[in-house]
Amino acid sequence: MGEGDRERRAGVGHWLRRRAGAVVLTCVGAGLAVVHVLAPGLRIDGVTVMLLVVAVVPWLGELFRSIEVPGIGKIEFRDIERRIEAVQRTANAALVGDGPDRGTVDDTAAWEAVRELAAEYVKVRLEQRSGPARNHRMDQIFARLVRATQRVRDFDAGALLGSQDAGMRLATYARLYGLPEPEALGALVDAAVVEPLPFNQYWALRAVGQCVDDMETEDVPLSVVRRLEEFRSRASRANDRREIVDRVLAGLGGH
């Protein structure tokens, strides 16, 4: 297939996505109009509105890059999509809940489960093509690691943060995300800012946020703040990991 054919196909694909987006918006608008006519007294709560927003935003992104809202300013749809994705990823990890009473669990079996999940993560990362499908699969593994690591009685997070095994580093971030250890915050930040894998770094920084939330602001070491500020200064602005650091620093007093 020649370059011209590929460009034409790409153009057709983009046109179809835009038409599909228009169709979805039309259907949503028509559906809401029908509901309003048939049930004018029906109350639509905030949850319903948010679900509609989540459903429509991806299609709006195909039609517009941004939209100007009076009194608010310009809204970038890609920024909204990133924020919705962050909420969804947090929900997936939170749904696993707390682990069982760790005192009643065989530590050997618990460690074996963690190692199997860590190995599965490494395999998925190496064998699957980068993209949303792989990220979703890895998020699922992370959510299982959050629960699995809570079953381990003696989890030495400090030692494992420096592991050469990407899966075991992710397991450590999962442990500290589910069971924050303020005393491990310094080592966690040091590991997070130099973590070479974007997926791992995302969850390492989320774990940092969890640890900071468990502490009084004045108890957070200044060295931690400085390391996070340094990371933010060199991170790309359109970066979900920088956004996490921005939120952590804002919670520490707007650094």
Side-chain angles (χ1 to χ4, degrees):
M1 182 185 297
E3 188 67 29
D5 291 333
R6 282 195 292 270
E7 290 179 358
R8 282 193 293 273
R9 288 197 174 190
V12 170
H14 182 65
W15 179 84
L16 288 174
R17 288 194 298 273
R18 290 176 63 87
R19 289 301 299 272
V23 169
V24 168
L25 287 177
T26 300
C27 290
V28 170
L32 290 176
V34 170
V35 169
H36 179 68
V37 171
L38 296 179
L42 181 65
R43 295 176 62 86
I44 299 179
D45 60 17
V47 173
T48 303
V49 172
M50 281 303 300
L51 289 174
L52 286 172
V53 170
V54 169
V56 171
V57 161
W59 297 102
L60 291 177
E62 292 293 342
L63 296 175
F64 317 102
R65 288 185 177 274
S66 63
I67 188 171
E68 196 81 26
V69 179
I72 297 178
K74 181 178 291 187
I75 297 176
E76 298 287 342
F77 286 108
R78 180 58 191 141
D79 181 59
I80 297 175
E81 287 178 335
R82 283 201 304 270
R83 294 181 183 277
I84 290 174
E85 181 183 2
V87 171
Q88 290 172 332
R89 295 178 74 172
T90 301
N92 287 340
L95 285 174
V96 298
D98 295 330
D101 182 359
R102 296 190 301 278
T104 64
V105 177
D106 177 6
D107 222 32
T108 302
W111 265 118
E112 185 61 29
V114 170
R115 291 191 183 96
E116 287 179 0
L117 287 169
E120 182 181 352
Y121 163 70
V122 172
K123 181 178 180 181
V124 168
R125 183 177 172 277
L126 291 176
E127 295 182 356
Q128 291 192 12
R129 179 181 299 179
S130 177
R134 188 181 76 166
N135 284 342
H136 179 66
R137 177 78 182 279
M138 294 192 303
D139 276 334
Q140 290 177 323
I141 294 172
F142 178 84
R144 291 157 62 196
L145 277 169
V146 172
R147 185 173 179 85
T149 53
Q150 292 182 59
R151 296 172 177 160
V152 178
R153 283 190 296 266
D154 300 316
F155 196 103
D156 190 347
L160 289 171
L161 284 170
S163 173
Q164 295 298 307
D165 185 322
M168 290 308 297
R169 292 200 307 276
L170 184 67
T172 309
Y173 304 146
R175 166 74 174 211
L176 295 176
Y177 179 87
L179 293 175
E181 299 178 17
E183 63 275 13
L185 178 60
L188 175 58
V189 170
D190 287 343
V193 298
V194 298
E195 169 61 54
L197 303 181
F199 182 88
N200 278 31
Q201 189 173 63
Y202 174 90
W203 284 111
L205 292 170
R206 293 298 303 274
V208 168
Q210 294 290 90
C211 287
V212 168
D213 287 345
D214 263 24
M215 302 172 65
E216 297 294 334
T217 301
E218 59 269 20
D219 293 333
V220 177
L222 183 60
S223 59
V224 165
V225 177
R226 294 290 177 260
R227 288 284 271 162
L228 292 175
E229 288 177 332
E230 179 186 350
F231 174 86
R232 181 178 62 178
S233 69
R234 67 173 189 268
S236 169
R237 184 173 296 276
N239 185 308
D240 55 0
R241 285 154 283 157
R242 172 170 170 158
E243 291 176 359
I244 295 169
V245 173
D246 284 342
R247 290 196 294 271
V248 172
L249 290 174
L252 290 173
H255 290 278

